[in-house]
Amino acid sequence: MELSVYKIDGTESGKKVALDEKVFGIEPNDHAIWLDVKQYLANQRQGTHKTKDRSEVAYSTKKLIRQKGSGGARHGSLKAGIYVGGGRVFGPKPRDYSFKLNKKLKQLARFSALSYKAKENAIVMVEPFTMEAPKTKEFTQILKNIKAGNRKVLFVLPENSSNIYLSSRNLPEVKVITVDEINTYTIMAAHSMVIVDGVQDILSSRIR
């Protein structure tokens, strides 16, 4: 698959880039994508949820009524879960939600996500550029020039550029990342991708 490389003013640079079929042209594996996205979301969870059980609630342990003869059920202290303010029965405890996935499976998931974007013609290639200062208005104009769309645009840079990142920070529908930060979740969450020329070579070099 070949893509034309655009300049930031929206005109074609005359250069065409052939995307690696092993990265952008594989048969997508939906289950691998599901597992990788599931792991990513699980890793975002703090796992600090906590409720008090009956051993931790600050109530008296005095027995409420005598064991027999009341005509009602047996009761111990107010700490029991059936009372308002009592301890929670089988409540949540702090835990770690993260789990392990093999590197090859995660790579398959990323390449599957990139292949979906390539099949949908949702990838725009732009030549490398720099910004002298953070300018959101200027960055927005670049996105309009290259017709990246206005719905969840993922902008991938070969290396970190603070001015480009700061220019996009106030745009809720745009996410700027480096190629080292790319993952299956961000790819699948984006409606379109803008790849700076050179990123595709870095991805191809990481094939295991």
Side-chain angles (χ1 to χ4, degrees):
M1 180 179 181
E2 280 192 347
L3 290 179
S4 297
V5 179
Y6 288 90
K7 297 180 181 180
I8 58 175
D9 61 3
T11 60
E12 291 191 17
S13 65
K15 179 181 178 181
K16 290 187 179 292
V17 173
L19 298 180
D20 193 338
E21 291 295 319
K22 294 181 181 179
V23 179
F24 295 90
I26 68 170
E27 183 63 31
N29 188 312
D30 291 341
H31 187 62
I33 292 175
W34 179 79
L35 285 173
D36 201 10
V37 170
K38 180 183 178 183
Q39 186 201 44
Y40 177 86
L41 294 175
N43 290 345
Q44 308 307 304
R45 300 186 68 173
Q46 288 184 318
T48 54
H49 40 39
K50 172 73 169 67
T51 58
K52 292 183 178 181
D53 58 28
R54 64 182 300 165
S55 68
E56 298 169 313
V57 175
Y59 271 126
S60 170
T61 56
K62 178 183 177 181
K63 187 168 176 62
L64 300 178
I65 57 175
R66 61 183 183 175
Q67 182 78 352
K68 295 179 179 293
S70 68
R74 297 171 291 181
H75 291 293
S77 71
L78 282 170
K79 290 186 175 186
I82 63 173
Y83 290 110
V84 175
R88 174 82 178 270
V89 181
F90 302 124
K93 300 291 183 182
R95 56 164 290 193
D96 181 12
Y97 283 91
S98 63
F99 60 94
K100 182 181 179 298
L101 286 180
N102 293 331
K103 290 181 179 179
K104 287 189 176 180
L105 188 142
K106 290 177 69 68
Q107 178 177 269
L108 174 62
R110 284 194 300 272
F111 291 172
S112 295
L114 290 169
S115 296
Y116 266 127
K117 286 293 179 283
K119 287 183 178 181
E120 296 166 0
N121 294 319
I123 299 177
V124 179
M125 293 286 297
V126 64
E127 66 179 9
F129 67 97
T130 58
M131 297 183 70
E132 296 181 359
K135 295 288 184 181
T136 302
K137 186 176 181 179
E138 181 181 337
F139 186 77
T140 304
Q141 187 59 47
I142 292 174
L143 294 177
K144 289 181 180 179
N145 292 341
I146 62 177
K147 298 179 181 179
N150 54 5
R151 289 180 55 198
K152 292 188 178 180
V153 179
L154 179 63
F155 208 100
V156 187
L157 303 171
E159 57 186 13
N160 185 46
S161 173
S162 59
N163 286 339
I164 296 178
Y165 169 75
L166 292 173
S167 298
S168 67
R169 192 167 54 174
N170 289 335
L171 302 174
E173 295 294 321
V174 180
K175 184 176 182 65
V176 174
I177 61 173
T178 64
V179 66
D180 294 328
E181 299 170 318
I182 198 168
N183 60 73
T184 306
Y185 178 81
T186 54
I187 297 170
M188 296 303 295
H191 187 261
S192 61
M193 288 182 64
V194 178
I195 298 179
V196 176
D197 189 15
V199 168
Q200 75 281 359
D201 297 328
I202 297 174
L203 290 172
S204 298
S205 67
R206 294 178 179 177
I207 298 177
R208 290 184 175 87

